[in-house]
């Protein structure tokens, strides 16, 4: 028995077209098919990842030696600003949106997103916003970091700062439009037989992330608009020389930007929750607990922003509230981690590339989570504030979490998107280089921070030189690690082994249609007959009827 049945009473849809009718030019046009848009998001965000990664490698090259001898100080500040902005707003957030665009309608049995044209508009706003941001290389690079705190951002160059503000307004609008689509699609367009507790956990994660975007992003937009007035019209909302308060900007900025961590990580939490049961051949442990934990994270993420501001004059009593709230958010996150570990415990684990990156995700994200609890403590945060300990923490969360999660998702769903398998040998080489490079780059930064090395500096005390050399070597390994992935993805897309419709013998709906799916996804309306994670329960027929065996290591 499979999860999907097409009842005889439901007529085949005449508008169901074969994938072969799709042209490669569709990926360069204003196409409203959610699958085309999903791939557009993923490919575009990966291009920005390469640009942001090249900037990171240049930054680490500058920091390989104590003096500032590789680029000018102004260009170094510009690289820092653009690296952070690109990696957050043009890589991790759009990559999550790309996965959601591709998967949500397939997972809930819908033909498309709720608002297909708005969906396409949201994607092309990413391209416009990204191109505008990159234009600063030729005009004037923004100098005040990805947080753009005033008063520094008001005195460091109007052109560069203006470009940064307007590009983020475009990207934020895109994010709001995308989130609106995700929430409405998940709530209103599930097949009639799919109750809320039969929904895949990826959809729960995107529902939580979408609500978080709709709540937090307008506040950031408000802060940016006020900052633009201060910069270009001479107002003084945040400018202290005119009576403004720069700390208000910090409150508004972090009201969005702390939840932004969860906006980035929640889609990957959902992806990991899909990948582990499939490659462990076990039901997910604690389905409802994992689903609820996403919603709790979404709520708690909105009330912890001021833990970034313990050194900004925050009253002691308020510090206590935000310290406790920040520590509490580790509880629902821990529920997910324990649920994942219980899922793979005793399972028939297939150590393919998707599973390796999923396990790498858990290992590195847990390190980032533990240091996050440490930073939530007021005394410790004040000690390491603005040091490399913070850099190490954020990269273990965002690179160890998000990037490993994105790679795990790409290896897992690549057969569905292209109809072909990725090469496992190249996938393992990719994982090995990424895991070693990531830990060699960011693990020494914990010690650098504890020893007192400030972040966002191009010159530093020579006593930090040895650890910085290690970090730089690690960054070069990370840069090289993208090569086997790019080669593997391109070669496999055109020449890889045919995957069949369901190469992993998975039970969620997206695997019950063709690979790649037809334009309207399913012929007829799918009807659920088993749960999405009922491995070992009612799926013997699926195991027996699969024309492609489960891949093993």
């Amino acid at each position: 028995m499979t999860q999907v049945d097409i009842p005889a009473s439901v007529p085949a849809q005449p508008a169901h077209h074969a994938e072969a009718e799709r042209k490669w030019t569709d990926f360069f046009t204003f196409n409203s098919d959610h699958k085309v848009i999903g791939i557009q998001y993923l490919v575009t965000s990966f291009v920005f990842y390469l640009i942001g990664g090249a900037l990171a490698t240049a930054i680490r090259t500058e920091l390989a030696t104590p003096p500032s001898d590789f680029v000018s100080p102004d260009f170094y500040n510009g690289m820092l600003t653009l690296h952070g902005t690109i990696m957050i707003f043009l890589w991790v957030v759009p990559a999550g949106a790309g996965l959601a665009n591709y998967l949500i309608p397939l997972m809930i049995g819908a033909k498309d997103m709720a608002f297909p044209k708005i969906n396409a508009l949201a994607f092309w706003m990413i391209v416009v916003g990204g191109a505008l941001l990159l234009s600063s290389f030729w005009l004037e690079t923004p100098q005040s970091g990805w947080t753009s705190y005033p008063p520094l951002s008001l005195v460091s160059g109007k052109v560069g700062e203006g470009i940064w503000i307007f590009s983020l307004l475009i990207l934020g609008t895109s994010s709001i439009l995308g989130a609106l689509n995700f929430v409405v699609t998940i709530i209103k367009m599930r097949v009639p037989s799919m109750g809320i507790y039969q929904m895949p956990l990826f959809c729960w994660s995107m529902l939580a992330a979408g609500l978080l975007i709709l709540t937090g992003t307008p506040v950031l937009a408000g802060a940016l608009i006020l900052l633009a007035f201060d910069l270009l019209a001479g107002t003084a909302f945040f400018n202290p020389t005119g009576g403004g308060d720069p700390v208000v900007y910090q409150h508004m900025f972090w009201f969005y930007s702390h939840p932004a961590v969860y906006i980035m990580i929640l889609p990957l939490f959902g992806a990991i929750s899909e990948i582990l049961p499939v490659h462990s051949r076990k039901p997910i442990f604690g389905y409802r607990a994992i689903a609820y934990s996403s919603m709790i994270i979404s709520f708690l993420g909105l009330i912890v922003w001021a833990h970034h501001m313990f050194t900004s004059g925050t009253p002691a009593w308020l510090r206590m509230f935000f310290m406790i709230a920040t520590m509490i958010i580790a509880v629902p996150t821990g529920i997910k981690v324990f649920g994942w570990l219980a899922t793979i415990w005793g399972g028939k684990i297939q150590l393919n590339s998707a599973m390796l990156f999923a396990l790498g995700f858990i290992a590195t994200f847990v390190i980032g989570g533990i240091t996050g609890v440490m930073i939530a403590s007021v005394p410790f945060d004040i000690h390491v504030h603005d040091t490399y300990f913070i850099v190490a923490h954020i990269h273990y969360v965002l690179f160890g979490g998000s990037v490993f999660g994105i790679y795990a998702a790409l290896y897992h769903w690549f057969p569905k998107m292209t109809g072909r398998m990725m090469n496992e040998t190249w996938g393992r080489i990719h994982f090995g280089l990424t895991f070693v490079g990531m830990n060699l780059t960011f693990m020494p930064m914990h010690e650098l921070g504890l020893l007192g090395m400030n972040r966002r500096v191009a010159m530093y005390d020579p006593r930090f030189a040895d650890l910085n050399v290690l970090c730089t070597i690690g960054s070069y390994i990370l840069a090289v690690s993208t090569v086997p992935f790019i080669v593997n993805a391109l070669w496999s897309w055109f020449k890889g082994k045919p995957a069949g419709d369901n190469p992993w013998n998975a039970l969620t709906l997206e695997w019950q249609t063709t690979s790649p799916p037809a334009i309207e996804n399913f012929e007829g309306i799918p009807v659920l007959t088993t749960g999405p994670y009922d491995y070992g329960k009612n799926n013997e027929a699926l195991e027996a009827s699969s024309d492609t065996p489960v891949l093993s290591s």
Side-chain angles (χ1 to χ4, degrees):
M1 183 73 69
T2 66
Q3 191 194 3
V4 59
D5 269 349
I6 310 297
S9 58
V10 177
Q13 302 299 302
H16 188 89
H17 303 294
E19 172 68 19
E21 293 180 21
R22 179 168 294 135
K23 303 182 292 293
W24 66 270
T25 53
D26 291 344
F27 294 97
F28 297 91
T29 61
F30 193 88
N31 194 295
S32 61
D33 184 341
H34 72 96
K35 299 181 290 299
V36 173
I37 294 171
I39 291 175
Q40 286 176 324
Y41 264 108
L42 290 169
V43 173
T44 303
S45 61
F46 190 77
V47 170
F48 282 116
Y49 171 60
L50 295 179
I51 296 171
L55 292 173
T57 307
I59 291 168
R60 287 309 321 170
T61 302
E62 172 63 73
L63 295 172
T65 55
S68 176
D69 53 6
F70 181 61
V71 295
S72 70
D74 284 348
F75 193 68
Y76 181 82
N77 287 338
M79 289 197 302
L80 274 181
T81 303
L82 291 175
H83 165 70
T85 307
I86 288 171
M87 287 305 201
I88 291 171
F89 296 101
L90 290 165
W91 160 233
V92 180
V93 173
L99 289 173
N101 262 292
Y102 197 94
L103 294 173
I104 285 176
L106 286 165
M107 283 182 163
I108 64 173
K111 291 180 179 179
D112 207 323
M113 300 291 282
F115 310 111
K117 291 184 179 178
I118 290 178
N119 203 23
L121 176 64
F123 164 72
W124 284 103
M125 292 180 79
I126 295 286
V127 177
V128 173
L132 178 60
L133 185 67
L134 294 182
S135 71
S136 64
F137 277 117
W138 291 273
L139 299 173
E140 179 183 279
T141 53
Q143 298 283 303
S144 51
W146 79 275
T147 57
S148 199
Y149 279 176
L152 176 62
S153 56
L154 301 176
V155 298
S156 58
K158 285 188 177 181
V159 174
E161 192 62 30
I163 290 173
W164 185 87
I165 290 171
F166 287 110
S167 63
L168 254 65
L169 284 172
I170 294 171
L171 297 174
T173 305
S174 163
S175 189
I176 291 171
L177 295 177
L180 184 67
N181 237 328
F182 299 147
V183 171
V184 175
T185 303
I186 292 169
I187 292 176
K188 304 296 276 186
M189 296 182 67
R190 299 193 309 276
V191 290
S193 56
M194 181 181 284
I196 192 77
Y197 294 116
Q198 294 165 306
M199 199 165 66
L201 286 166
F202 181 79
C203 298
W204 274 99
S205 293
M206 284 310 305
L207 182 61
L211 294 173
L212 204 49
I213 292 170
L214 293 175
T215 308
T217 308
V219 179
L220 174 66
L224 295 176
I225 291 169
L226 296 179
L227 187 65
F229 274 108
D230 280 7
L231 181 74
L232 304 174
T235 56
F237 295 105
F238 307 130
N239 192 342
T241 60
D245 187 350
V247 176
V248 174
Y249 173 85
Q250 293 189 30
H251 280 289
M252 297 178 72
F253 179 84
W254 286 114
F255 184 79
Y256 164 81
S257 294
H258 184 79
V261 174
Y262 303 107
I263 290 169
M264 289 183 270
I265 205 73
L266 276 168
L268 287 319
F269 281 167
I272 297 301
S273 298
E274 301 298 329
I275 293 167
L276 293 179
V278 173
H279 298 284
S280 300
R281 311 311 298 169
K282 277 186 65 184
I284 190 80
F285 183 89
Y287 170 92
R288 292 200 181 198
I290 292 176
Y292 290 148
S293 68
S294 294
M295 305 307 291
I296 294 170
I297 288 172
S298 180
F299 170 72
L300 291 177
L302 291 168
I303 59 171
V304 299
W305 77 89
H307 83 251
H308 293 271
M309 301 166 58
F310 287 158
T311 61
S312 299
T314 306
W317 65 271
L318 201 55
R319 286 176 175 173
M320 291 302 294
F321 169 80
F322 283 105
M323 181 179 78
I324 294 170
T326 306
M327 288 183 173
I328 288 175
I329 207 168
V331 175
T333 308
I335 288 172
K336 287 186 183 295
V337 174
F338 284 115
W340 294 332
L341 294 179
T343 300
I344 62 177
W345 184 266
K348 298 176 182 177
I349 298 175
Q350 304 160 43
L351 284 178
N352 50 37
S353 303
M355 192 66 173
L356 286 172
F357 273 102
L359 296 177
F361 169 96
I362 296 174
T364 51
F365 180 78
V366 165
I367 294 174
I370 291 172
T371 55
V373 174
M374 294 167 67
I375 293 169
S377 171
V378 174
F380 187 81
D381 180 80
I382 291 174
H383 179 69
V384 300
H385 187 78
D386 263 345
T387 71
Y388 261 83
F389 193 92
I390 304 298
V391 181
H393 161 70
I394 194 69
H395 282 87
Y396 265 90
V397 171
L398 290 186
F399 196 103
S402 297
V403 177
F404 272 74
I406 292 169
Y407 279 136
L410 291 177
Y411 279 102
H412 181 69
W413 279 292
F414 187 89
K416 177 54 57 182
M417 295 177 181
T418 66
R420 295 182 183 275
M421 304 300 297
M422 293 190 82
N423 182 281
E424 279 297 321
T425 301
W426 282 106
R428 289 185 173 91
I429 293 171
H430 175 215
F431 170 76
L433 288 171
T434 308
F435 193 80
V436 170
M438 187 264 169
N439 284 288
L440 189 57
T441 303
F442 301 115
M443 185 62 78
M445 291 184 186
H446 291 101
E447 187 173 354
L448 281 171
L450 292 173
L451 292 173
M453 180 172 168
N454 288 333
R455 58 175 173 166
R456 297 169 177 157
V457 294
M459 293 183 289
Y460 56 86
D461 192 309
R463 67 192 171 101
F464 302 129
D466 291 344
L467 288 173
N468 273 291
V469 168
L470 280 181
C471 295
T472 302
I473 292 172
S475 72
Y476 291 163
I477 295 174
L478 267 184
V480 171
S481 73
T482 58
V483 175
F485 173 74
I486 294 170
V487 172
N488 193 3
L490 291 176
W491 185 88
S492 299
W493 198 327
F494 298 103
K495 300 290 184 181
K497 175 185 172 184
D501 292 342
N502 189 2
W504 311 124
N505 285 345
L507 296 178
T508 42
L509 274 184
E510 78 272 21
W511 297 103
Q512 315 308 328
T513 185
T514 56
S515 297
I519 287 179
E520 292 189 346
N521 298 341
F522 300 94
E523 291 193 33
I525 302 174
V527 177
L528 305 187
T529 55
T530 68
Y533 309 109
D534 287 348
Y535 299 103
K537 294 182 179 178
N538 299 311
N539 57 323
E540 291 82 359
L542 174 67
E543 303 278 357
S545 64
S546 173
D547 59 356
T548 306
V550 177
L551 297 182
S552 64
S553 59

